[in-house]
Amino acid sequence: MSSSLVEEATRIALQFDYPAEQVQRGVAEYIRQSDEGLAKEGATLSQIPTFVTAVPNGTEKGLYLAVDLGGTNFRVCSVQLHGDTTFNLTQSKIMIPRELMASGTSKDLFLFLARQIEAFLRIHHNEHFEAHLRRKREDRGEEYLFDLGFTFSFPVRQDGINSGTLIRWTKGFNIPDAVGHDVCALLQSAIDDLDLPVRVAALVNDTVGTLMARSYTSPGETGTLLGAIFGTGTNGAYVEKLSNVSKLENMNDSHYDTSTGEMIINAEWGSFDNQLSVLPSTIYDIELDADSNNPGIQMFEKRVSGMFLGEILRRALLDLHTKLGLFKLSKTSKVSIPTDSLLYRQWGLDTSLLSQVEADTTKQFVDVKAALKDHLKVENPSDTECKAVKILVHAIGKRAARLSAVPLAAILIHTGKLDTDDVVDVGVDGSVVEFYPDFETHLRGALREVPQVGEAGDKKVRIGISKDGSGVGAALIALVASKDQTLVTPNSK
């Protein structure tokens, strides 16, 4: 088995190669799909106008609230902006009960979120909260004390800085009665039911927040061009010329400030090339998609993001296990894998397994063995088995990083930002880009293989981690919104 196991792992790994010419084809197709998305609704690449028309410069001041519904956790935070690129952030995080994610109603979910905001205010801003209650009792007429930025990391169709209807749920959420409704109004209604002194001032996508937070903390001559998330999911937002967003002409109900001539666009690039005209596909990608809860969509995300890399690996390992006895007791393997191992469970493997394996540089595969024990209950795997696992992990992770260069290169070319001598600033966030070994190295390797970027262009691109995009970024957008005269009061009652 030993040599054939490594040979088969190598053969599978070759299927994950993503060579330069495929990167270049991907970039050309991304530019085509992005132009289509700017021109009309319903394109594969949504290119959603965010109605945020200015990026910060680091001098902004004030106290703002932000909440983040991005996945399994709900975060509430308050952000004190000091006006000198620094800030203080206070936050709490709570896990969303599973029954509210899939079988509840939108009222149940949003009332739960409003209650977390109330608890946060009572704990961290009680003096403001008590004063509000006193004024309420004295019936002095109520003003909102806090402007809130609502980071909502699901596809929405925005028609203003603080209004947008839910297109569809992703990431395990499925509450049908919220689809097609204004999520800001749903949250405001729940907040009003609890008499909280909070106005939902801005609807924020986490990638836009990432861009804003980066622009506040790392201001430069030109501001930040792009915010990108490479974590559980993947997406990007970038600064576009208003004149290029031709579909705005058909959005009669929309309202926004035109003075800057720019608008941040939320690309929703997880759905890039859903039709698979240029994206690479292995049997494992195809099977993963078929067994997912949203077959046929988010095809780019399913090859790049942390939610899916573990499952791609699991399916490849299962293939080796079934065909060649990987982790099966035999003459050449000392391992007996238990029947309750996560190898046998869909979505059983976490991307942290890949990170741990990729980081191992020891000849004895110390970290690989520890990872296999922790994640798969595999005790004492042979060095050959460890080598086979490492080959597969490296191939899957490297492909994800190289694919991630496609939207970055496309946006750099489309916006013409590489044609000047300025540094092009890119803010990134997410566990994959932050913690996956050599992710940025492989991404930059692919960037340089795109002729319009090359070595010279790559040198101009500054990629920096943008922390707390969903907190600080959301607060900054609430600040922009509170100054914006086109703000509407979202209330569904």
Side-chain angles (χ1 to χ4, degrees):
M1 175 188 81
S2 57
S3 63
S4 58
L5 191 60
V6 170
E7 280 166 20
E8 182 62 10
T10 305
R11 188 191 68 75
I12 293 171
L14 277 172
Q15 297 173 44
F16 289 93
D17 266 6
Y18 189 55
E21 64 272 15
Q22 283 194 41
V23 175
Q24 291 157 18
R25 274 181 61 215
V27 170
E29 180 60 16
Y30 188 98
I31 292 171
R32 191 195 72 73
Q33 289 186 23
S34 92
D35 287 343
E36 186 181 44
L38 291 171
K40 66 177 189 184
E41 291 290 316
T44 303
L45 208 54
S46 299
Q47 296 286 77
I48 299 169
T50 66
F51 304 94
V52 179
T53 55
V55 295
N57 60 19
T59 63
E60 293 77 8
K61 286 183 180 176
L63 178 65
Y64 294 87
L65 284 184
V67 297
D68 176 16
L69 182 66
T72 49
N73 293 311
F74 181 62
R75 243 175 24 127
V76 186
C77 52
S78 56
V79 182
Q80 182 74 56
L81 302 166
H82 300 311
D84 58 0
T85 78
T86 69
F87 60 87
N88 278 16
L89 182 119
T90 306
Q91 67 172 327
S92 67
K93 187 161 81 170
I94 187 153
M95 202 162 186
I96 295 176
R98 192 154 281 281
E99 62 272 16
L100 288 181
M101 289 170 63
S103 54
T105 66
S106 59
K107 189 158 182 69
D108 293 337
L109 175 67
F110 283 93
L111 201 54
F112 173 82
L113 303 183
R115 286 201 177 106
Q116 308 316 311
I117 296 169
E118 179 179 30
F120 181 86
L121 289 175
R122 286 185 183 280
I123 293 165
H124 298 291
H125 298 284
N126 198 43
E127 68 290 356
H128 290 303
F129 194 69
E130 291 296 334
H132 158 72
L133 293 177
R134 271 198 308 279
R135 280 197 298 276
K136 197 84 175 163
R137 281 195 297 271
E138 292 161 11
D139 198 25
R140 285 204 235 159
E142 187 50 44
E143 79 288 358
Y144 290 112
L145 290 178
F146 291 102
D147 281 316
L148 175 142
F150 180 19
T151 299
F152 185 76
S153 306
F154 302 91
V156 289
R157 181 164 287 108
Q158 272 189 263
D159 49 31
I161 201 163
N162 70 331
S163 58
T165 54
L166 176 62
I167 297 168
R168 65 178 176 275
W169 290 105
T170 56
K171 304 180 206 174
F173 277 76
N174 184 21
I175 305 163
D177 74 348
V179 175
H181 288 271
D182 181 350
V183 293
C184 289
L186 290 170
L187 182 59
Q188 187 72 59
S189 179
I191 285 169
D192 292 347
D193 284 348
L194 298 182
D195 271 339
L196 306 181
V198 176
R199 174 174 66 162
V200 182
L203 181 60
V204 183
N205 180 274
D206 53 357
T207 47
V208 185
T210 298
L211 191 160
M212 298 291 273
R214 175 72 183 172
S215 208
Y216 177 78
T217 57
S218 305
E221 292 295 309
T222 54
T224 300
L225 170 71
L226 185 110
I229 305 275
F230 298 106
T232 305
T234 183
N235 189 16
Y238 72 102
V239 180
E240 179 61 273
K241 289 192 184 80
L242 265 176
S243 56
N244 287 340
V245 196
S246 53
K247 68 180 174 185
L248 282 170
E249 293 161 19
N250 304 319
M251 297 173 75
N252 301 328
D253 298 333
S254 62
H255 36 268
Y256 53 93
D257 172 21
T258 58
S259 61
T260 63
E262 294 179 335
M263 184 182 284
I264 297 175
I265 296 295
N266 163 21
E268 285 295 337
W269 71 38
S271 66
F272 165 56
D273 197 32
N274 279 342
Q275 59 273 47
L276 298 183
S277 59
V278 294
L279 281 178
S281 262
T282 68
I283 183 67
Y284 312 109
D285 296 305
I286 293 161
E287 288 172 351
L288 178 151
D289 177 57
D291 291 344
S292 71
N293 62 4
N294 55 353
I297 59 174
Q298 299 298 101
M299 296 308 240
F300 181 74
E301 183 167 80
K302 283 172 179 167
R303 287 151 176 76
V304 165
S305 77
M307 188 169 185
F308 301 100
L309 298 182
E311 180 63 9
I312 295 171
L313 174 67
R314 188 189 73 82
R315 287 170 181 270
L317 290 176
L318 202 53
D319 216 3
L320 279 183
H321 173 70
T322 309
K323 289 178 181 166
L324 291 174
L326 176 77
F327 309 142
K328 268 187 191 169
L329 205 56
S330 66
K331 285 177 189 167
T332 50
S333 175
K334 307 190 285 282
V335 176
S336 180
I337 189 166
T339 52
D340 63 347
S341 170
L342 293 175
L343 181 67
Y344 302 116
R345 191 191 303 168
Q346 188 183 8
W347 310 116
L349 297 196
D350 193 76
T351 301
S352 59
L353 165 64
L354 284 86
S355 291
Q356 211 175 334
V357 168
E358 187 66 47
D360 192 353
T361 55
T362 65
K363 286 197 173 115
Q364 297 79 27
F365 300 105
V366 175
D367 293 334
V368 179
K369 287 173 182 172
L372 291 174
K373 184 178 177 181
D374 292 346
H375 291 264
L376 291 175
K377 298 186 179 176
V378 168
E379 303 265 5
N380 302 315
S382 68
D383 284 0
T384 301
E385 287 170 315
C386 290
K387 189 173 181 185
V389 171
K390 205 159 166 43
I391 288 166
L392 291 177
V393 164
H394 180 71
I396 292 164
K398 185 175 179 181
R399 185 186 71 164
R402 287 177 62 80
L403 274 165
S404 300
V406 168
L408 264 62
I411 289 166
L412 288 167
I413 295 162
H414 164 80
T415 56
K417 290 294 180 186
L418 293 174
D419 300 340
T420 69
D421 291 332
D422 296 324
V423 166
V424 183
D425 194 76
V426 175
V428 294
D429 194 14
S431 50
V432 176
V433 70
E434 192 169 359
F435 301 118
Y436 200 93
D438 298 324
F439 188 85
E440 188 183 327
T441 305
H442 293 314
L443 184 156
R444 282 187 177 274
L447 262 188
R448 289 192 294 273
E449 291 167 5
V450 179
Q452 302 97 310
V453 180
E455 294 277 348
D458 176 49
K459 285 195 174 80
K460 289 181 191 171
V461 177
R462 180 175 65 195
I463 297 176
I465 296 287
S466 174
K467 292 308 286 176
D468 295 311
S470 61
V472 182
L476 285 157
I477 297 170
L479 178 150
V480 169
S482 64
K483 294 177 179 172
D484 185 352
Q485 296 310 300
T486 59
L487 192 66
V488 295
T489 302
N491 199 325
S492 61
K493 292 202 290 189

